[in-house]
Amino acid sequence: MTTMTETSARFREFKMPDVGEGLTEAEILKWYVQPGDTVTDGQVVCEVETAKAAVELPIPFDGVVHELRFPEGTTVDVGQVIIAVDVVPGGGEAAEPVAPAAAEPEPAAEPEAPKGRQPVLVGYGVAESSTKRRARKGTEPPAAAAAAIQGELNGHATVAADVPAPTVGTVVPESRPLAKPPVRKLAKDLGIDLATVTPTGPGGIITREDVHAAAAPVPAPASVPTAPAAVAEAVAVPVAATPVPGARETRIPVKGVRKAIAQAMVCSAFTAPHVTEFVTVDVTRMMKLVAELKEDKDMAGVRVNPLLIIAKALLVAIKRNPEVNAAWDEANQEIVQKHYVNLGIAAATPRGLIVPNIKDAHDKTLPQLAAALGELVTTAREGKTSPAAMAGGTVTITNVGVFGVDTGTPILNPGESAILAVGAIKLQPWVHKGKVKPRQVTTLALSFDHRLVDGELGSKVLADVAAILEQPKRLITWA
């Protein structure tokens, strides 16, 4: 499949590309150009949202916009033409530029069956564009939303500097079958090679029924299939529908990342047997360490907050109990132990909840970990977190304490073995050295997959994290 066609020597068409991981459709969030506008090679012309993230699409040629085939808010299949460009402006008579219909657009031609995934267009040979990213209509992030992100990850502090979002530019083999993420996961769970499955869906898309048919001799799993980890790590807040005066209800379509996360969370909750354990701990010494590190010259230029120490404590606990850092492979009936830690950090953004992760967090020094957290926050706040940044997590931290609650029972991200919830840090009466004194106290909750993490192992991990936060010198003696 190509993303461009030539309808004549004068007009060129740009098709909806596969923007990542074999996805089959995307919603047009925002057009940055209109008919009659001049565009240059590499200029971002629109923003689209898939089941993974919102991405900007650059156009790969110069010209004048002749026609926008679809209005904002339309879900378009991969391979359908979305924009036509006059590449020889002034070269003769041409039809008047056409804007997309506000209501029902004229259906595009049936797309040819894609031959394989195209390169992700974010960072795909794109020249720097002068077009600035615009917020989705009606969802301009208020100051409170930005503050919520910073509070979620940085202890209510402001991020020091903006960090550009990571880009994606990977290419997969041309023979990659076309299927939606839940179908790919189902095939993996059943041990079915999608290349051997005969597709019956429109445009050569493999459906769940096709996978079940291919696995007929093998009983299908009872659980609902889940989306890949990168999808599970992104929750979008549905666009607020305009309420009808006097109406008692408002219905919002379930689509995009909200639909994907719903599938992933249901599957996680009812496939992986969750166990959640709790511990309340005195973190007064940890808070003193945070104050001291803020004055340390080696930490200059990076944000120091409680989350940094908690993240480091979890990494040390995983090093002491490596069996917890694993995944369950249903298809092969194996436990896959990970010898690396991609540490996920739940972030509340104006678009909703996402869980980007810090790659190889176990190898990072404290200043490096602080810098990585700051970069993660900045890209999340700007809405530029890429699908790659949300893929491949192994364990996650969610800071529910920023909302003033004591703790929660977090649901695992599909494919991960554990998630640590951190509650609010509050001044409470505490028995310290035989006397009741006001101390800074928090509650931790660790949810884990009981298929591969026994109660003893989960308890050891949680106890180690608590012990480090109570006595931060263990970061040195246990590291």
Side-chain angles (χ1 to χ4, degrees), residues 97 138 225 247 326 352 355:
V355 189

Side-chain angles (χ1 to χ4, degrees), residues 57-68:
L57 299 184
I59 198 160
F61 43 80
D62 300 335
V64 174
V65 177
H66 176 68
E67 179 182 7
L68 305 181

Side-chain angles (χ1 to χ4, degrees), residues 282-284 424-430 437-442:
D282 177 2
V283 294
T284 305
I425 299 174
K426 299 177 180 179
L427 201 62
Q428 297 183 16
W430 193 264
K437 297 181 179 181
R439 305 284 289 181
Q440 290 176 298
V441 177
T442 191

Side-chain angles (χ1 to χ4, degrees), residues 27-104:
E27 178 187 352
I28 297 175
L29 295 183
K30 180 71 177 179
W31 281 110
Y32 295 156
V33 296
Q34 295 297 325
D37 290 353
T38 299
V39 293
T40 58
D41 185 359
Q43 178 178 337
V44 172
V45 295
C46 67
E47 180 184 24
V48 301
E49 181 180 55
T50 70
K52 290 182 179 289
V55 295
E56 295 176 328
L57 299 184
I59 198 160
F61 43 80
D62 300 335
V64 174
V65 177
H66 176 68
E67 179 182 7
L68 305 181
R69 295 289 178 87
F70 298 96
E72 295 173 0
T74 304
T75 298
V76 181
D77 290 336
V78 169
Q80 285 191 280
V81 176
I82 60 174
I83 182 173
V85 174
D86 184 352
V87 295
V88 190
E93 292 186 3
E96 289 296 321
V98 182
E104 296 183 2

Side-chain angles (χ1 to χ4, degrees), residues 98-265:
V98 182
E104 296 183 2
E106 180 181 350
E110 183 69 21
E112 60 182 88
K115 298 179 181 178
R117 178 185 171 199
Q118 297 299 309
V120 176
L121 293 184
V122 178
Y124 175 49
V126 177
E128 183 174 349
S129 171
S130 61
T131 304
K132 296 183 180 179
R133 180 185 181 91
R134 305 178 193 175
R136 184 174 181 175
K137 189 178 296 182
T139 56
E140 182 69 18
I149 300 169
Q150 298 164 35
E152 170 76 15
L153 300 177
N154 277 344
H156 301 286
T158 304
V159 180
D162 290 338
V163 181
T167 59
V168 183
T170 57
V171 181
V172 299
E174 286 294 315
S175 60
R176 182 181 178 90
L178 196 62
K180 295 185 178 181
V183 177
R184 294 186 183 280
K185 181 62 168 63
L186 176 62
K188 180 180 178 181
D189 290 343
L190 295 177
I192 301 298
D193 183 358
L194 287 177
T196 65
V197 178
T198 302
T200 62
I205 297 174
I206 296 174
T207 66
R208 291 183 60 191
E209 290 72 21
D210 297 335
V211 175
H212 281 302
V218 182
S223 60
V224 179
T226 182
V231 179
E233 292 151 359
V235 181
V237 176
V239 179
T242 304
V244 179
R248 293 168 63 86
E249 296 179 349
T250 300
R251 291 182 174 268
I252 302 171
V254 178
K255 57 184 179 179
V257 289
R258 171 59 71 186
K259 182 176 181 179
I261 196 60
Q263 294 173 333
M265 290 295 97

